[in-house]
Amino acid sequence: MKPRLLMLGYPRLIGSHGFPVSLRTRKAMALLASLAMSNGRGLSRTYLAELLWDERPEPQARQNLRKELSRLRRGLDGAGVDGLAVDGDAIRLSPAALDTDVLDFRRLAASDDIQDIAIAASLYQDDL
């Protein structure tokens, strides 16, 4: 089973074993969601630090990002997710690393097929 990130409703990560995996902090989940929604594009450390810790000075925000990246790596390892890459300033998550309900919802809802639209409706649990 492929790991799955559910963000429509209460966010949760379902591991390849089929069980929920704790990322330990809401910031780690927000970091994962941001990376998953970027659809494989690298996001800069500066962007992510400002997104998640806009009230902190940049050095502290970047330090917090390093800590959350470490937590996220451990959680992803436990979920069977392989695809997080840190290349200098760019952080990316391979789109093939996990499925997401939001991206599935968008794809299915844009279809002309009534069955796809019904599946999209069943994915919607609550707001993102």
Side-chain angles (χ1 to χ4, degrees):
M1 176 178 178
K2 190 170 182 181
R4 186 157 180 78
L5 178 61
L6 304 173
M7 296 180 283
L8 294 172
Y10 187 80
R12 56 209 178 279
L13 176 62
I14 307 299
S16 59
H17 43 65
F19 297 102
V21 174
S22 173
L23 294 181
R24 301 182 59 116
T25 67
R26 292 173 57 190
K27 295 283 186 175
M29 179 60 78
L31 178 57
L32 176 58
S34 297
L35 292 169
M37 293 303 295
S38 73
N39 208 18
R41 291 185 324 273
L43 300 177
S44 75
R45 288 177 182 268
T46 301
Y47 170 79
L48 291 167
E50 288 176 4
L51 177 70
L52 298 171
W53 295 279
D54 65 335
E55 75 285 354
R56 304 282 184 190
E58 183 179 354
Q60 185 177 8
R62 289 177 72 94
Q63 179 180 6
N64 290 346
L65 178 61
R66 282 191 297 277
K67 289 179 185 176
E68 289 305 324
L69 271 171
S70 178
R71 286 186 185 108
L72 180 58
R73 282 182 200 263
R74 285 192 302 272
L76 292 177
D77 286 346
V81 176
D82 183 30
L84 181 65
V86 179
D87 302 315
D89 190 54
I91 302 167
R92 72 177 36 85
L93 180 68
S94 168
L98 52 80
D99 290 329
T100 64
D101 59 349
V102 172
L103 297 177
D104 289 346
F105 177 84
R106 287 179 177 173
R107 179 181 47 80
L108 292 164
S111 173
D112 291 332
D113 185 331
I114 192 70
Q115 289 179 332
D116 286 347
I117 294 170
I119 294 169
S122 72
L123 290 175
Y124 185 83
Q125 301 297 311
D126 203 347
D127 292 340
L128 173 66

Coordinates of all heavy atoms in Angstrom, one line a residue, residues 32-33 43 50-51 64 97 120:
L32 N 5.0 19.0 5.8 CA 4.7 17.9 4.9 C 3.6 18.4 3.9 O 3.7 18.1 2.7 CB 4.3 16.7 5.6 CG 3.9 15.5 4.7 CD1 5.0 15.1 3.8 CD2 3.4 14.3 5.6
A33 N 2.6 19.0 4.4 CA 1.5 19.4 3.5 C 2.0 20.4 2.5 O 1.6 20.3 1.3 CB 0.4 20.0 4.3
L43 N 11.0 23.8 -2.6 CA 10.7 25.1 -1.9 C 11.9 25.5 -1.1 O 12.6 24.7 -0.6 CB 9.5 24.8 -0.9 CG 8.2 24.4 -1.6 CD1 7.1 24.1 -0.5 CD2 7.7 25.4 -2.5
E50 N 9.8 31.3 6.7 CA 8.9 32.4 6.8 C 7.4 32.0 6.9 O 6.6 32.5 7.6 CB 9.1 33.4 5.6 CG 10.4 34.2 5.7 CD 10.6 35.0 4.5 OE1 9.7 35.1 3.6 OE2 11.7 35.7 4.4
L51 N 7.1 30.9 6.1 CA 5.7 30.4 6.1 C 5.3 29.9 7.5 O 4.2 30.2 8.0 CB 5.6 29.3 5.1 CG 4.2 28.6 5.0 CD1 3.2 29.6 4.4 CD2 4.3 27.4 4.1
N64 N 14.5 26.4 13.6 CA 13.3 25.6 13.8 C 13.0 24.7 12.6 O 12.5 23.6 12.8 CB 12.1 26.6 14.0 CG 12.2 27.3 15.4 OD1 13.0 26.9 16.2 ND2 11.4 28.4 15.5
A97 N 6.1 9.9 -4.0 CA 6.4 9.3 -2.6 C 5.1 9.0 -1.9 O 5.1 8.0 -1.1 CB 7.2 10.4 -1.8
A120 N -14.6 12.0 -6.2 CA -14.1 13.2 -5.6 C -15.0 13.7 -4.5 O -14.4 14.1 -3.4 CB -14.0 14.3 -6.7

